[in-house]
Amino acid sequence: MLIIKNLHAVVEGKEILRGINLEVKPGEIHAIMGPNGSGKSTLANVLAGNKGYEVTEGEIWFEGKNLLDMEPDERAKEGVFLAFQYPVEIPGVSNATFLKTAINEKRKYLNLPELSPKEFLDMMKEKAKILGMDESLISRSVNVGFSGGEKKRNEIFQLLMLEPKLAILDETDSGLDIDALKIVANGVNVFHKDDNAVIVVTHYQRLLNYIVPDFVHVLYKGKIVKSGGKELALELEEKGYDWVTSNELETQSI
Amino acid sequence: MSQSVLYSKVKNWYLSNFEIFSKRLNGSKNFFNEIREKAVAKFTELDFPTRKNEEWKYTDITPILKYNFVPSALVSIPKLTLDEINKLLFKDFDFYLATIVNGVFVEELSNLENLPKGVIIGSLNKILKDRPELFDNYANDFLSIDNIFNALNNVYAYDGLVMIVEKNVIIDKPIQVLFINGNNESEVLSSPKNLIIAKENSQLSVIFNYRGFGDKKYFTNSTVNVSIDEGAILDYYKIQEENEDSYHIEKIDVIQSTKSVFNQFNINFGGELVRNDINTKLNGEYIETHFYGLYLVQGKQHVDNHTLIDHAKPNCLSNELYKGILDDNSHGVFNGKIFVRPGAQKTNAYQQNKAVLLSSGAKLDTKPQLEIFADDVKCTHGAAVGHLDESAEFYIRSRGVPEELAKSILIRAFANDVVEMMKIGELKEQINHKIFEHLHRIEFKNN
């Protein structure tokens, strides 16, 4: 589904990603972990097409298409979704209208008819229920006046509504208490099926108790320095990032 | 031609037309004669402002003076049908309608039936003739000339709209006043003179809707005098959508008494060169004043908003929010004066002025001017000029929304602080529609 080859990216003149290689297949959940500044959020933003991040080398293939040739909205319509670390507030635009616009733009792109108001409303109600969202949030302006937890929940609500092929969660767990974390994780698990994939970007192992990854990758200084199964996350939690980063230093010094 | 030669030539043009105009009036004597005499004296004395004049520093009025606009009283009034004017109205809510064509009230195009008792709305000229006693207490408020354009308005004053609402009367629906300016025959000067008197504890909502007619260039030069008496509430929507090559200058002069509330919306879409002066004097205690401004300009449009909130007495609140969206090579000017006079203690005065530039050719000049002569006051002001938020645009696009539509969503979000404050729901959606229509951008509808 997703193949990343030797990806290098620069932010404000500084090289943040320095040769990432990653392959994600349908049905898989990958966790990207790493200390602050290791390039986790950069990778998430590059995948979604944020122009603030410049790709200087490497390739990204999504479903056989060159992702780097696509505008952010094309990527979304092809099936890439980024749950933002800091969701943006849009005053005067209701959640419902925003989502209806996004869904119908995607359907237009895929040569599907627009959803009828009833279909859309039923879908909203069903997805909101999964996340225990108050229906009043749906008619409110996008993220305006939402608490940090409500914003994150709203990201997962958008994920469920847009039904992408690949979901990238950028620090979705930050700022969530344990109850909110469980609700958000449950939403992701409802979304996850054999034909789609999830990349969970996180600093802590906590979220991975609820969204269980098939693979864990440790990012350090813009490279994946270690990959393993879900037990790697637990090991990291126990031993700290120093454990892998010192390994990395050793391999570098050889 | 040098500027000073041009300026005096134009002055002579308007003065010589005044002689013709006076003769046409055929000696009919009324309240207006006195006004006109004073106005002619003022017009003769004052000069057209150059950019050396601080009040006109960012607005060059020379383009207006390059045309010999004929006062509308000297040309025929275009005949319009109800169907034609219907297209120009804000709709889908109940309202009373008054139509003013080139400054003259037109009964056949108005609908003022079943007005509540104690409400007079109609032709200023006619009501002055029929019931001059109504204006006795307001004679001094009626002539306020700050510049040569206000003087010119009064020189040619002979009609306009008058609204008088008696004590304790609450008007059940908004009054939409449609000003149609322009003429297919000649380049016309339209000089409506308008008056609103809201007496004690009355309440009313007015929509001043300015539209253009025909394909000739024209100049709307208007004045509005408003008195909001004790405890009265006035919601005032000015929505200016004149022809794109027209000139529009208007002064709104307001006096508020104790415990009155004034909500003023100043929305500008049209005009090639537009100047609004909106002044209110808070001449009592416990007064509330809200100024909301929104201007959408594109092409080579120039819109200059000058506001003045004069806190003359203690314990009042004023809140001002102006937002501008500027595209192409358009130019905006915002000058917001707040005076807090000696003794006006416990004044709360807030001013915010924000603009977003959609292109590199668009420009805004902004000048907040706070003059505070009391010590126990809360006054804040802020100004911000920027571009559409790129991170917000990325967020929207990352959901599958194309670039142009994402920009429209952000434009709508930016205008929302002002549009949302309007109290007539149907008007909000129609204003939102006009925003995109005017900027020639894809509409984003919130429904």
Side-chain angles (χ1 to χ4, degrees), chain B residues 14 57 73 88 98 130 143 160 165 172 180 192 220 293 310 331 387 416:
Chain B
Y14 286 119
K57 191 174 171 186
L88 306 175
D130 297 351
L143 185 74
V165 186
D172 52 337
I180 301 174
T220 303
D310 184 354
H331 187 191
H387 298 274
N416 187 61

Side-chain angles (χ1 to χ4, degrees), chain A residues 44-77:
Chain A
N45 275 282
V46 165
L47 287 171
N50 190 336
K51 290 203 168 61
Y53 300 77
E54 190 197 343
V55 173
T56 49
E57 206 183 326
E59 296 166 28
I60 307 177
W61 296 90
F62 180 70
E63 301 268 90
K65 293 180 184 167
N66 185 352
L67 201 67
L68 294 175
D69 279 350
M70 296 181 205
E71 292 291 312
D73 46 291
E74 282 181 271
R75 299 183 192 202
K77 286 180 279 213

Side-chain angles (χ1 to χ4, degrees), chain A residues 71 73 82 91-92 97 155 158, chain B residues 395 397 399 413 445-447:
Chain A
E71 292 291 312
D73 46 291
L82 171 64
T97 312
E155 292 295 284
Q158 293 182 13
Chain B
Y395 181 72
R397 291 187 70 191
R399 299 310 184 236
K445 284 187 184 176
N446 196 24
N447 55 24

Side-chain angles (χ1 to χ4, degrees), chain B residues 141-381:
Chain B
D141 304 338
F142 216 47
L143 185 74
S144 55
I145 295 174
D146 295 332
N147 61 48
I148 193 167
F149 292 107
N150 309 151
L152 182 62
N153 169 268
N154 283 288
V155 166
Y156 289 108
Y158 77 114
D159 202 7
L161 181 88
V162 64
M163 272 188 223
I164 302 173
V165 186
E166 290 299 331
K167 266 189 204 175
N168 301 320
V169 174
I170 296 169
I171 305 187
D172 52 337
K173 4 180 213 200
I175 301 129
Q176 181 163 185
V177 188
L178 176 65
F179 291 89
I180 301 174
N181 300 304
N183 192 317
N184 269 330
E185 287 172 27
S186 44
E187 286 155 349
V188 73
L189 167 69
S190 168
S191 310
K193 182 169 173 62
N194 310 290
L195 179 69
I196 303 174
I197 299 169
K199 294 195 182 173
E200 279 169 52
N201 299 315
S202 64
Q203 291 180 25
L204 70 156
S205 171
V206 298
I207 302 163
F208 277 30
N209 175 4
Y210 296 80
R211 300 294 295 254
F213 173 80
D215 48 17
K216 284 266 194 309
K217 213 163 179 101
Y218 65 86
F219 175 21
T220 303
N221 181 34
S222 163
T223 62
V224 187
N225 286 84
V226 183
S227 174
I228 312 174
D229 298 351
E230 188 167 335
I233 301 175
L234 171 61
D235 292 341
Y236 184 130
Y237 302 87
K238 169 179 179 165
I239 301 159
Q240 183 274 107
E241 201 185 354
E242 304 261 24
N243 282 358
E244 287 197 5
D245 64 346
S246 70
Y247 303 123
H248 177 101
I249 293 183
E250 183 174 69
K251 183 172 77 155
I252 302 174
D253 222 342
V254 185
I255 295 185
Q256 290 184 254
S257 301
T258 297
K259 290 182 185 161
S260 64
V261 178
F262 181 39
N263 298 310
Q264 210 281 336
F265 290 84
N266 175 25
I267 318 279
N268 287 272
F269 294 105
E272 182 179 310
L273 196 165
V274 175
R275 166 69 176 245
N276 291 301
D277 280 274
I278 304 177
N279 308 334
T280 184
K281 184 170 184 180
L282 281 56
N283 201 25
E285 294 192 50
Y286 305 103
I287 290 169
E288 255 188 60
T289 303
H290 298 271
F291 277 9
Y292 300 104
L294 180 65
Y295 50 100
L296 296 302
V297 283
Q298 46 88 34
K300 286 181 175 174
Q301 282 185 291
H302 178 103
V303 171
D304 178 345
N305 289 309
H306 268 61
T307 64
L308 164 61
I309 297 176
D310 184 354
H311 283 267
K313 298 276 161 67
N315 296 308
C316 295
L317 164 77
S318 69
N319 181 29
E320 179 168 18
L321 174 64
Y322 264 70
K323 291 204 144 184
I325 300 172
L326 300 98
D327 209 345
D328 305 328
N329 293 308
S330 62
H331 187 191
V333 180
F334 174 79
N335 181 306
K337 289 192 191 75
I338 297 175
F339 294 162
V340 181
R341 305 228 173 226
Q345 302 294 9
K346 308 281 180 198
T347 288
N348 284 311
Y350 307 103
Q351 181 189 93
Q352 260 198 84
N353 153 42
K354 293 182 181 171
V356 42
L357 308 176
L358 299 179
S359 79
S360 56
K363 190 179 162 213
L364 177 75
D365 285 298
T366 172
K367 188 176 170 192
Q369 229 176 309
L370 278 63
E371 295 181 19
I372 300 167
F373 300 100
D375 52 13
D376 186 12
V377 300
K378 265 187 218 152
C379 290
T380 62
H381 74 91

Side-chain angles (χ1 to χ4, degrees), chain A residues 40-252:
Chain A
K40 305 189 296 290
S41 279
T42 299
L43 177 61
N45 275 282
V46 165
L47 287 171
N50 190 336
K51 290 203 168 61
Y53 300 77
E54 190 197 343
V55 173
T56 49
E57 206 183 326
E59 296 166 28
I60 307 177
W61 296 90
F62 180 70
E63 301 268 90
K65 293 180 184 167
N66 185 352
L67 201 67
L68 294 175
D69 279 350
M70 296 181 205
E71 292 291 312
D73 46 291
E74 282 181 271
R75 299 183 192 202
K77 286 180 279 213
E78 287 287 341
V80 176
F81 178 91
L82 171 64
F84 278 56
Q85 186 176 4
Y86 304 108
V88 173
E89 297 184 4
I90 314 172
V93 176
S94 75
N95 255 326
T97 312
F98 181 57
L99 275 169
K100 195 160 70 182
T101 305
I103 288 172
N104 283 332
E105 286 293 332
K106 182 170 173 179
R107 293 180 69 90
K108 202 158 74 183
Y109 182 84
L110 299 173
N111 287 319
L112 294 168
E114 288 197 354
L115 283 184
S116 75
K118 178 157 191 325
E119 284 170 320
F120 178 73
L121 196 69
D122 289 347
M123 187 177 173
M124 292 247 295
K125 283 184 176 165
E126 180 205 326
K127 309 294 185 190
K129 208 171 156 190
I130 294 168
L131 293 165
M133 268 171 82
D134 194 300
E135 279 186 33
S136 72
L137 284 183
I138 293 166
S139 56
R140 274 167 56 187
S141 292
V142 180
N143 293 325
V144 176
F146 285 28
S147 70
E150 282 170 339
K151 282 182 183 168
K152 294 298 177 72
R153 203 182 293 199
N154 199 28
E155 292 295 284
I156 304 307
F157 177 60
Q158 293 182 13
L159 166 70
L160 292 174
M161 290 294 291
L162 291 165
E163 298 178 320
K165 291 175 188 157
L166 173 66
I168 305 151
L169 314 181
D170 188 7
E171 308 258 1
T172 298
D173 49 337
S174 69
L176 292 186
D177 63 30
I178 189 70
D179 292 329
L181 189 81
K182 282 182 187 171
I183 290 167
V184 160
N186 179 54
V188 176
N189 289 327
V190 168
F191 160 78
H192 182 237
K193 301 197 175 61
D194 287 345
D195 59 353
N196 61 31
V198 181
I199 297 175
V200 185
V201 171
T202 180
H203 187 89
Y204 302 104
Q205 181 271 339
R206 193 175 67 147
L207 180 64
L208 306 180
N209 288 333
Y210 305 97
I211 304 172
V212 181
D214 301 299
F215 302 95
V216 174
H217 310 278
V218 181
L219 200 59
Y220 181 67
K221 287 190 175 171
K223 282 182 183 172
I224 290 173
V225 291
K226 199 169 179 64
S227 294
K230 64 182 177 203
E231 63 290 342
L232 178 57
L234 290 167
E235 214 171 338
L236 272 173
E237 182 78 0
E238 195 184 314
K239 298 182 181 168
Y241 282 113
D242 285 349
W243 165 63
V244 274
T245 57
S246 56
N247 275 351
E248 158 76 358
L249 290 177
E250 277 166 34
T251 45
Q252 270 182 354

